[in-house]
Amino acid sequence: MEQMASAIKTNVIRILDKEKIPYTCSTYEVKDGKIDGVAVAHKIGIDEETVFKTLLVQGKSKTCYVCVIPVAKELDFKKISTLTGEKNIDMLPVNELQKTTGYIRGGCSPIGMKKALKTYIDKTAMNLEEITFSAGKIGVQVTLKPEHLKTLIQVEFEALTN
């Protein structure tokens, strides 16, 4: 995997460079407003099963958790509730996303959040050589080996979707 010299330097890319983690970077056009994960996968020409989205959920305890799942799948709230031991889990309100993570909707990455949050990645990622996810800015994606995420953030690979 070649590291792509890019004029675009997001926090995620700076962290990957600093930690000497190999990655590739892809950019896509955002003017059409199609920034959902499936559209992004098609724009960058990557199989949508290898493109992941970063979702923030919050338990009744007000603790936030990061869930990284394939873009075409839906989060199974019962599974994440069981994993976290929280009775009720809901999506973090969008208006709290930037304050909590430092990222905006559509540009949220599991790498480089304001504070370390418990992170779960769908276990299907372990069957893939590489996964692609937001580089922390709408219009920019990074691709890397799932096991490299473990060297940056504390992650657990679990079944998160139906």
Side-chain angles (χ1 to χ4, degrees):
M1 196 172 4
E2 290 289 314
Q3 204 156 310
M4 184 176 160
S6 173
I8 298 167
K9 287 289 184 187
T10 67
N11 246 1
V12 173
I13 291 169
R14 282 187 203 80
I15 292 166
L16 292 170
D17 286 346
K18 180 177 179 258
E19 298 298 322
K20 296 182 174 34
I21 293 177
Y23 66 91
T24 55
C25 185
S26 305
T27 58
Y28 60 94
E29 183 56 56
V30 299
K31 287 180 185 163
D32 62 5
K34 295 179 181 175
I35 60 167
D36 66 277
V38 173
V40 169
H42 293 289
K43 285 180 179 185
I44 61 176
I46 297 178
D47 183 347
E48 66 187 47
E49 290 183 12
T50 67
V51 180
F52 283 62
K53 57 187 171 185
T54 304
L55 304 174
L56 270 284
V57 295
Q58 186 175 50
K60 192 172 183 156
S61 69
K62 296 294 182 198
T63 302
C64 291
Y65 305 94
V66 180
C67 300
V68 182
I69 65 170
V71 294
K73 302 276 185 168
E74 295 296 322
L75 182 63
D76 184 321
F77 285 91
K78 284 186 177 148
K79 287 179 181 173
I80 193 66
S81 181
T82 301
L83 286 169
T84 60
E86 296 269 8
K87 273 193 172 172
N88 295 333
I89 290 263
D90 288 307
M91 292 299 295
L92 182 72
V94 174
N95 62 353
E96 292 181 34
L97 186 63
Q98 189 167 16
K99 173 178 70 175
T100 304
T101 66
Y103 294 121
I104 62 169
R105 184 177 178 272
C108 193
S109 178
I111 300 171
M113 289 193 178
K114 278 185 173 180
K115 54 187 169 192
L117 298 173
K118 182 74 175 172
T119 301
Y120 298 94
I121 298 177
D122 192 73
K123 69 179 183 177
T124 58
M126 291 306 293
N127 301 327
L128 300 170
E129 191 172 314
E130 298 175 332
I131 62 171
T132 300
F133 52 88
S134 176
K137 180 180 179 183
I138 296 171
V140 188
Q141 299 282 107
V142 292
T143 301
L144 51 84
K145 293 180 183 299
E147 59 269 20
H148 286 154
L149 276 174
K150 290 172 126 177
T151 64
L152 288 174
I153 54 176
Q154 184 182 355
V155 301
E156 289 182 28
F157 292 90
E158 301 284 349
L160 302 176
T161 60
N162 295 331

